[in-house]
Structure formats: C-alpha cells, structure tokens
C-alpha cells in the first residue's frame, strides 16, 4: 500500500476516533457512567470474574494500604487543550487522555489518582497509572492501564499461512541513531540475503543512507515468515499485531511491558528470542525454516495469547477492576 494512502486512511480513522470520544467527554455527564460500574462488573460469569481478577492483579500489584500524596481528583481530570514539551516535541497526549478518561469516568469525582502519560521506563515513587513499566524489579507503583490503544492494540487478519511466506526476516524501523541497539541491528542485516531490513526515512545528521529503504505496509510485511520486533523507548509497538499474524515475532530479551503483559511472554514459545547483540539471529531463523512445524506452533501459541485481549467487555471490566483496586489501596486513611 502506498505510504500516502495509508497515512490518509489512518488520518480519517483517527479523526473519527477523537470526534466520538470528544462528544462523549463533552456531552455525557459522568453520573451516567458511574451508574453503569456495578452493571459492567456484575455481568461477569464466575469464570470471567476469575480471569479479570487474575489479570487485574498483574497490572495492579499494590499490596496493603498506600495513600498517595497530591494527585488529581477524578472530577478535575480535563482534556489537555495545551500542548506540553515532551522529548523535544510538543505533545497533547489526547489519545492517552481519552483512553484513561474511558476508565475514570466510572468512578466518583472525589477519588484521587496520579498518572504519567508517555513512554514510562522507570518506577514512580508513588502508585501511578502508566502505559508502560520495566519488567524487572519491584514495579508495583507502576499501575498499568490500556493507554494509547489506537496505536498499540492493532491486530490483523492474516490469511496467508506460514508455509507460503518468504523464508526471510523483515523489519522497518526508525530512530536508529537515538537507539543504538536498533542501529546495530540495521548495520548487521540491512544487506543480508535472508533479511529485508531498513529504516523508513532519513534521520537528523544522517550517516547511514544505505539503510533507508522506505515505508512498508503491514500487508507487505506479512509476506515474510519472520518479523523483527525491537524495543524503542519502551516496548516494540509492532509486537501485538505480529503475534496476531501467521508470521513469527523475533525479538531480543524484553525489558518493558504494557497492558499486553509482555513480561509473561515465553521465549521460543510465543516469539523467537535472539541474543541482545543479534549474533544468533540468522542461526535462529534458519533453524525454524528447517523446522516449520515448530515455527507454526509458536504462531498458534501467539494466537492463543492474543485472544485474551480481543473481548471488549472483558477488557473494560479488567481496566475497571484495576482502577477500583487502585482507589481502594490509595484512599486517604
């Protein structure tokens, strides 16, 4: 698909998404949603309730009573009309706002919370709603919500079986100069015969022009048996849609997680794990080309894992349970 056509379609989709959410935010009173909280959670079967609680306890690991200092009241949570400076750019975080508002609107206006929008790579000092957190260590203060989901939770319907795909690995990446591990990956494989690896565009002070191969649509990438999923600031954005496809995700060890619970993924079961320096990448994909049944088993395991995120009713109930637990654990004494 042409890059400009893809951008136009994405723009229309985003416009409809934001328009619908802004109408909800501006016109529907919050009491309308607060009345529905008990209905949403009460509609769960015992089996569904068990699944929701299990996932909610993973996202929200707060144990004991931990009141927060400061924070913002739910009733004072307002759309960010002003942009703020974030990593050298002006950001409004509108998508984060609406995704978080979709949860907070179910709760009383006097409840208080803390939140950080953007790519979070450290653990907050107090319990805080975030999109991402480190996998390792005590990450309980980083309470995960399903934020920026328009970008991160895009699954695909892949009708091409693994066996009919190219015996190659594909990757299109950006910001390689600012992410040395991505630059190393491009330097090693941009011209390898078993790889179609490159950057989508030039970077500031470009000194690696041979690696620029332009935009490649998701549909085009799905022609390949293996798709690289390499973390950037935090998680690899494409990991979710790759695991929903009939291709196999290939990644170094994971360091960050989001609502997708990347910390629960099993190497060489849900995805192919390679060394941090990528030194065994060709060996690994060669092995799975020679053992296609093992690769197809990984595809099936990935599909089963992704399926738990595809039920909108359970996704909402899980987020509400995460938030409810947060408010209970952080309420003033």
């Amino acid at each position: 698909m042409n890059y400009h056509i893809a951008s136009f379609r994405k723009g229309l989709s985003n416009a409809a998404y934001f328009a619908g959410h802004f109408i909800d935010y501006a016109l529907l009173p919050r009491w309308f949603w607060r009345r529905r909280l008990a209905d949403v959670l009460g509609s769960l079967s015992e089996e569904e309730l068990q699944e929701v609680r299990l996932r909610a306890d993973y996202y929200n690991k707060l144990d004991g009573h931990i009141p927060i200092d400061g924070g913002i009241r739910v009733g004072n949570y307002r759309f960010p009309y002003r942009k703020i400076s974030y990593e050298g750019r002006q950001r409004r975080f509108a998508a984060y706002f609406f995704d978080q508002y979709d949860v907070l609107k179910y709760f009383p206006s006097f409840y208080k919370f803390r939140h950080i929008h953007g790519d979070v790579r450290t653990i907050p000092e107090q319990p805080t709603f975030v999109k991402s957190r480190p996998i390792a260590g005590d990450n309980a203060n980083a309470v995960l919500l399903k934020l920026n989901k328009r970008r991160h939770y895009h699954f695909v319907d892949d009708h091409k079986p693994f066996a009919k795909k190219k015996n190659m690995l594909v990757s299109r990446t950006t910001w390689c100069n600012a992410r040395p591990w991505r630059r190393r990956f491009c330097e090693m494989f941009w011209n390898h015969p078993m790889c179609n690896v490159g950057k989508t565009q030039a970077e500031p002070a470009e000194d690696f022009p041979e690696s620029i191969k332009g935009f490649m649509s998701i549909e085009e990438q799905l022609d390949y048996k293996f798709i690289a999923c390499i973390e950037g600031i935090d998680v690899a954005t494409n990991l979710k849609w790759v695991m929903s496809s009939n291709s196999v995700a290939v990644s170094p060890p994971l360091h960050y997680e989001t609502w997708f619970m990347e910390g629960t993924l099993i190497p060489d079961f849900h995805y192919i794990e390679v060394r941090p320096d990528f030194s065994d990448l060709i060996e690994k994909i060669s092995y799975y080309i020679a053992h296609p049944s093992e690769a197809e088993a990984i595809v099936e395991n990935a599909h089963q894992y992704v399926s738990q995120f595809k039920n909108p009713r359970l996704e909402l109930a899980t987020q509400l349970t995460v938030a409810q637990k947060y408010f209970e654990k952080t309420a003033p004494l």
Side-chain angles (χ1 to χ4, degrees), residues 80-123:
Y81 290 99
R82 287 188 177 184
K83 293 183 179 182
I84 62 172
S85 179
Y86 176 80
E87 296 196 349
R89 294 185 295 162
Q90 293 296 307
R91 295 282 303 274
R92 184 174 283 119
F93 290 112
Y96 283 83
F97 170 81
F98 286 126
D99 290 343
Q100 189 162 276
Y101 179 79
D102 281 347
V103 177
L104 297 177
K105 66 188 181 185
Y106 285 86
F107 294 92
S109 60
F110 61 88
Y111 281 9
K112 297 184 72 175
F113 67 98
R114 300 179 67 91
H115 71 285
I116 300 174
H117 287 167
D119 302 317
V120 178
R121 292 166 287 179
T122 58
I123 307 301

Side-chain angles (χ1 to χ4, degrees), residues 39-106:
D39 293 337
V40 173
L41 298 181
S43 69
L44 302 175
S45 68
E46 282 299 320
E47 183 179 356
E48 290 172 335
L49 184 60
Q50 183 177 2
E51 177 185 344
V52 163
R53 285 175 175 170
L54 185 65
R55 285 180 57 192
D57 285 340
Y58 184 85
Y59 299 128
N60 184 339
K61 299 179 181 180
L62 295 176
D63 187 21
H65 192 232
I66 314 171
I68 59 173
D69 294 327
I72 181 174
R73 292 182 183 275
V74 169
N76 294 333
Y77 187 54
R78 296 285 187 266
F79 181 79
Y81 290 99
R82 287 188 177 184
K83 293 183 179 182
I84 62 172
S85 179
Y86 176 80
E87 296 196 349
R89 294 185 295 162
Q90 293 296 307
R91 295 282 303 274
R92 184 174 283 119
F93 290 112
Y96 283 83
F97 170 81
F98 286 126
D99 290 343
Q100 189 162 276
Y101 179 79
D102 281 347
V103 177
L104 297 177
K105 66 188 181 185
Y106 285 86

